[in-house]
Amino acid sequence: VVTAGGTQEPLDPVRHLTNRSSGKMGYALAEAARDRGAKVTLVTAPTALLEPVGVEVVNVHTAQEMLDVVKKAVNRTHALIMAAAVADYRPVKISENKIKKVMPTLTLELEKTPDILGTVKGDFVRVGFAAESQNLIENARRKLRQKQLDLIVANDITVTDSGFGADTDRVVIIDREGKVEKLPLLPKREVADKVLDRVVRLLTKT
Ligand code: CTP
C-alpha cells in the first residue's frame, strides 16, 4: 500500500487547504513495486500525474478519507509506504456557502487531522517520509520513534533539486536501529528502488 500526493482539506464549496506535494515520489514507489511483481494499492490525493497501469488506484481528497481507505487496504499487506503529504490541520468548519469577502481580515480555525501512520499499525513494514526544512536527521529520528516506523525517508526541502515537485531527491534513510544511509541526488524512481530494497530486506528478515 502506497500513499501519494497532498491531501486537500475543504474550506467552502470552492476552496481547500493543501500543500505543494506533486505525488511523484509516491507514484514512483507504486510503479517500482509493481515492476517487482508486487500487488500495489496506490491511495492518492489529487495530482497532475497519469494513473499508473497495473496498480489499483484509489482517489481521495482529505486526510480522513485517506485514513479510511488505508485502514481497509492494509488488511492483507506486507508494507505500508506513506509518501503522501497529509495535511496536519483542517478547517474546523466547512462553510456550506462560498465565503464572501466582507471582512477586512479573516481568521480560520484549524484542527488536527488524524495521524494515519500514528493510527494504522499491524504486522507489516511501515515506512514514513519526513519533509524537513531544518534539523533533518534529528526531526526524522523523532518521527521514526514517535510513529514506531521501520524506516523513515527524510528529505531536505530547502534545496531546489530535492523534495516537493522535483524529479530528483537527495534523501536520508534512517532505520529503527538509528542507522543513517545518505543517498546521493537520484531520480525519484531510483530513490523508490532504494527504499524498496530496504523494505525487501526487512521482509526477508521477518
Ligand atoms: N502522516 C500521516 N498522517 C498525518 C500526517 C503525516 O500519516 N496526519 C505521515 C506522512 O505521510 C509522512 C509522515 O507521517 O510519512 C511524516 O509526516 P510529517 O507531516 O512530515 O510529520 P508530522 O508528524 O506531521 O510532523 P510535522 O508536520 O510537525 O513536521
Side-chain angles (χ1 to χ4, degrees):
V1 176
V2 180
T3 66
T7 64
Q8 298 181 346
E9 309 299 330
L11 185 56
D12 73 7
V14 296
R15 302 182 179 98
H16 58 241
L17 301 183
T18 189
N19 57 68
R20 289 176 45 218
S21 167
S22 66
K24 286 176 185 169
M25 191 65 234
Y27 278 55
L29 279 158
E31 288 169 359
R34 171 204 63 196
D35 291 349
R36 290 171 182 228
K39 187 169 171 278
V40 181
T41 301
L42 174 63
V43 185
T44 179
T47 72
L49 304 172
L50 285 177
E51 258 193 25
V53 291
V55 164
E56 186 195 356
V57 179
V58 186
N59 292 292
V60 298
H61 286 87
T62 64
Q64 183 63 52
E65 284 169 18
M66 189 170 274
L67 171 64
D68 295 342
V69 173
V70 167
K71 255 189 196 163
K72 285 192 197 126
V74 294
N75 260 337
R76 289 189 331 270
T77 199
H78 290 116
L80 168 62
I81 307 181
M82 284 287 308
V86 184
D88 288 328
Y89 290 90
R90 64 186 172 202
V92 169
K93 188 175 158 286
I94 305 172
S95 174
E96 217 177 289
N97 294 305
K98 186 180 169 204
I99 300 168
K100 302 299 282 178
K101 53 170 184 302
V102 284
M103 309 282 263
T105 62
L106 178 66
T107 305
L108 294 179
E109 194 185 351
L110 305 177
E111 64 186 2
K112 271 193 177 164
T113 57
D115 185 343
I116 301 172
L117 270 178
T119 314
V120 182
K121 294 185 178 152
D123 194 15
F124 43 83
V125 171
R126 295 160 74 253
V127 182
F129 277 71
E132 305 291 346
S133 58
Q134 52 191 346
N135 307 329
L136 181 72
I137 292 175
E138 192 185 314
N139 279 328
R141 274 214 173 104
R142 184 176 43 78
K143 284 177 193 174
L144 177 103
R145 249 195 334 269
Q146 278 173 355
K147 302 192 186 200
Q148 297 169 290
L149 304 174
D150 296 291
L151 293 175
I152 193 151
V153 184
N155 222 321
D156 180 352
I157 53 163
T158 61
V159 291
T160 52
D161 57 6
S162 188
F164 283 24
D167 289 316
T168 49
D169 256 346
R170 194 189 307 273
V171 304
V172 173
I173 303 178
I174 308 173
D175 65 17
R176 258 177 191 284
E177 283 76 48
K179 225 178 80 216
V180 175
E181 183 185 4
K182 283 189 185 178
L183 297 180
L185 185 70
L186 292 172
K188 284 192 170 167
R189 171 60 192 241
E190 283 179 46
V191 175
D193 272 309
K194 296 275 186 202
V195 173
L196 291 178
D197 286 345
R198 298 289 298 260
V199 170
V200 168
R201 257 200 269 164
L202 285 167
L203 285 172
T204 45
K205 216 163 70 181
T206 54

